[in-house]
């Protein structure tokens, strides 16, 4: 499935930057984040998340000017129906936070 994705990062001054989901789940809100990058990908569940993580850590695209993808960052996958799926970059893998973000932010 062809999809768009966005990378959202906390400002370095935010107290939750680089913290695991376990430590931030009670206060996680999209208003604290800034969208720093958008592109397209072929989305196939979690497999492509690893590709995005590798790309934005080891082989930055020429138009990517944010810090490397890290714990506390969000990846938003936007499918062809314009539905958003939010993934929290955690210490080991990714946490699906779609319902949490939608509930708290009414997106």
């Amino acid at each position: 499935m062809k999809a768009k994705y966005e990378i959202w990062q906390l400002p370095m001054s935010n107290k939750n930057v680089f913290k695991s989901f376990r430590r931030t789940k009670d206060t996680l809100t999209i208003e604290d984040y800034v969208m720093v990058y958008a592109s397209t990908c072929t989305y196939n569940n979690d497999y492509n998340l690893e590709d995005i993580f590798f790309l934005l850590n080891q082989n930055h695209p020429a138009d990517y000017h944010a810090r490397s993808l890290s714990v506390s960052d969000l990846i938003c996958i936007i499918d062809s129906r314009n539905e958003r799926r939010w993934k929290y970059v955690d210490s080991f893998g990714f946490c699906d936070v779609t319902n949490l973000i939608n509930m708290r932010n009414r997106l």
Side-chain angles (χ1 to χ4, degrees):
M1 164 175 34
K2 199 70 169 166
K4 298 175 190 173
Y5 71 94
E6 299 170 346
I7 303 301
W8 293 69
Q9 294 181 331
L10 291 168
M12 292 298 291
S13 59
N14 187 288
K15 65 181 178 176
N16 289 324
V17 71
F18 304 130
K19 291 187 180 175
S20 70
F21 180 67
R22 180 182 58 81
R23 295 182 65 194
T24 64
K25 65 183 174 184
D26 294 332
T27 60
L28 180 66
T29 178
I30 196 68
E31 283 86 10
D32 291 339
Y33 284 80
V34 175
M35 188 183 64
V36 297
Y37 188 68
S39 190
T40 59
C41 65
T42 302
Y43 183 66
N44 184 11
N45 296 322
D46 287 342
Y47 171 75
N48 205 64
L49 293 173
E50 292 292 342
D51 290 345
I52 292 169
F53 185 85
F54 179 80
L55 177 69
L56 299 181
N57 276 286
Q58 302 296 321
N59 193 20
H60 291 171
D63 62 340
Y64 185 74
H65 304 292
R67 65 177 181 262
S68 292
L69 205 58
S70 190
V71 173
S72 78
D73 293 343
L74 295 173
I75 302 172
C76 180
I77 303 292
I78 308 162
D79 67 20
S80 59
R81 296 175 309 229
N82 218 28
E83 292 182 18
R84 293 173 170 262
R85 286 185 246 165
W86 294 89
K87 306 292 184 172
Y88 188 96
V89 180
D90 209 0
S91 303
F92 297 99
F94 308 90
C95 294
D96 187 333
V97 293
T98 303
N99 291 337
L100 180 65
I101 287 177
N102 288 343
M103 178 184 70
R104 289 193 183 151
N105 301 288
R106 296 180 190 95
L107 296 177

